[in-house]
Every structure is written in C-alpha cells, then in structure tokens.
Amino acid sequence: MSKLKEFNGTWIQESQEGRDEFLKFFGMNPIMRKLAGKFKPRITIKVIADNAYREQSSALELDRIILFDQEIENEIPRIACGMSTTTFDQSSKQLFMKFRCTEKKSRETSDKCLIPVGQSLTRTRQIIDNKMIQIVIVDGVSPYKVVYRRKNELDKDESEESEDEGSGHD
C-alpha cells in the first residue's frame, strides 16, 4: 500500500496535450472545446485500503470509490458511461483503468455521452518527478495527456477562488 499512497493528495492540472483533438474527434463544438481548455481541474485521491481509493474531481463533479480488480458500473460525466476495471501495478507504480462504453446516455443526468457505445478507453496514472501523469487513450484518437502537480500551501482552495471571482476583485 505504501507505493499506492504516493497518489494521496490534491492534484492541480499543470498542463495538457491533445485535449482539443480528443474532444474534436468526438464531435464537441469549438466553443465548448475552448471553454474546456480554460478549466484547470483538481483531483483529490485518498487511499482507503490496499485495493481501493476515493477520487474526487472538480472537472467532472464526481466523488467515487475505486475498487481494484473488480468490474464496476462507472461513469465519466459527460464523457463516457459503462463498465470499468482498475488495477495498480506495484512494480511500475501505475494505476490502470480499462473502460468499456456501454451506454449512450448518462445514467445520472440522461445527457448524451461523448464517447459512443462500443468504444474502449484506457487511462493510466503514474507519479513521475512528484507529478501525476495521466494518459487517456481511445482507439482511433491521439492520446490525451494531462500533467498534475501536487497542491501546495500557496494554492487557494476552490471556495476561495469562487469568492474572489464573485467579488469583482482581480
């Protein structure tokens, strides 16, 4: 579990490569892609057992428990809906998720999912030089890479950022 605990913490997007091409491939319009490009998501990971962690994401408005080596119903809001299996490789210290898209619409909101039924998606996460590197791969699309850095004491909480935005102060 000690290697898995390296993922513990709040991670803030530092950079990304390939998001626009990824979203364009699945038919997202230019305005929505531009808005998506401005968003800097945060992911909080808390290891809760040798075979499980809790993940919260500001970008996807999700809070879920991930159990290793079990196929579960899963949803990546507005992206994909289906079944997934997550594993952790102790030697490479890599989280690996295999996702099969089985639904056209979100189970929760009934919104159309971006990735069509029948497509598979893989996502890897690995800590390299104290950064979390996430790579998403869907057949026929260039990989989408996101680099996250660990939140530090200089970073504002999301609630503080919302207050600043609403106050009219820059």
Side-chain angles (χ1 to χ4, degrees), residues 13 26 29 60-61 64 82 91 107 121 126 151 157 168:
Q13 180 184 306
F26 291 108
N29 71 52
L60 301 174
E61 301 170 357
R64 62 182 168 195
S91 61
R107 292 181 189 101
L121 173 149
Q126 193 168 21
K151 180 182 174 195
D157 287 332

Side-chain angles (χ1 to χ4, degrees), residues 1 27 38 42 71 74 79 90 107 116 119 132 157 159:
M1 185 152 100
K38 292 183 180 290
R42 293 174 186 226
E71 188 172 53
N74 197 350
I79 305 294
Q90 291 281 343
R107 292 181 189 101
Q119 286 276 52
M132 182 170 67
D157 287 332
S159 59

Side-chain angles (χ1 to χ4, degrees), residues 17-169:
E17 299 169 17
R19 176 176 32 212
D20 191 64
E21 295 84 10
F22 182 86
L23 297 175
K24 183 178 181 179
F25 182 86
F26 291 108
M28 185 178 279
N29 71 52
I31 294 168
M32 293 302 290
R33 292 196 317 266
K34 189 170 186 168
L35 287 172
K38 292 183 180 290
F39 194 65
K40 301 291 184 210
R42 293 174 186 226
I43 296 173
T44 300
I45 295 174
K46 173 68 176 149
V47 175
I48 56 175
D50 288 341
N51 67 337
Y53 66 93
R54 179 180 183 191
E55 175 181 349
Q56 298 169 295
S57 170
S58 65
L60 301 174
E61 301 170 357
L62 64 81
D63 185 349
R64 62 182 168 195
I65 304 291
I66 304 294
L67 301 171
F68 297 152
D69 304 317
Q70 296 181 35
E71 188 172 53
I72 60 171
E73 274 190 1
N74 197 350
E75 184 163 334
I76 305 169
R78 297 175 297 280
I79 305 294
C81 190
M83 303 298 288
S84 72
T85 304
T86 300
T87 58
F88 180 66
D89 183 323
Q90 291 281 343
S91 61
S92 67
K93 297 188 279 188
Q94 185 175 73
L95 287 167
F96 178 83
M97 180 183 72
K98 175 87 172 162
F99 193 106
R100 289 184 301 115
C101 301
T102 60
E103 305 289 330
K104 292 179 184 178
K105 293 185 176 186
S106 165
R107 292 181 189 101
E108 296 176 17
T109 66
S110 296
D111 292 339
K112 182 181 178 213
C113 292
L114 196 60
I115 300 176
V117 171
Q119 286 276 52
S120 291
L121 173 149
T122 59
R123 181 193 69 202
T124 59
R125 288 180 175 159
Q126 193 168 21
I127 308 295
I128 300 173
D129 296 330
N130 208 31
K131 307 237 183 209
M132 182 170 67
I133 312 300
Q134 174 177 289
I135 298 175
V136 177
I137 299 172
V138 176
D139 293 339
V141 187
S142 297
Y144 167 28
K145 177 181 175 181
V146 184
V147 177
Y148 294 90
R149 65 173 174 78
R150 227 178 261 284
K151 180 182 174 195
N152 61 48
E153 63 280 350
L154 299 176
D155 293 315
K156 291 182 179 182
D157 287 332
E158 289 177 338
S159 59
E160 292 173 15
E161 289 174 2
S162 296
E163 290 170 11
D164 289 348
E165 289 169 7
S167 67
H169 294 52

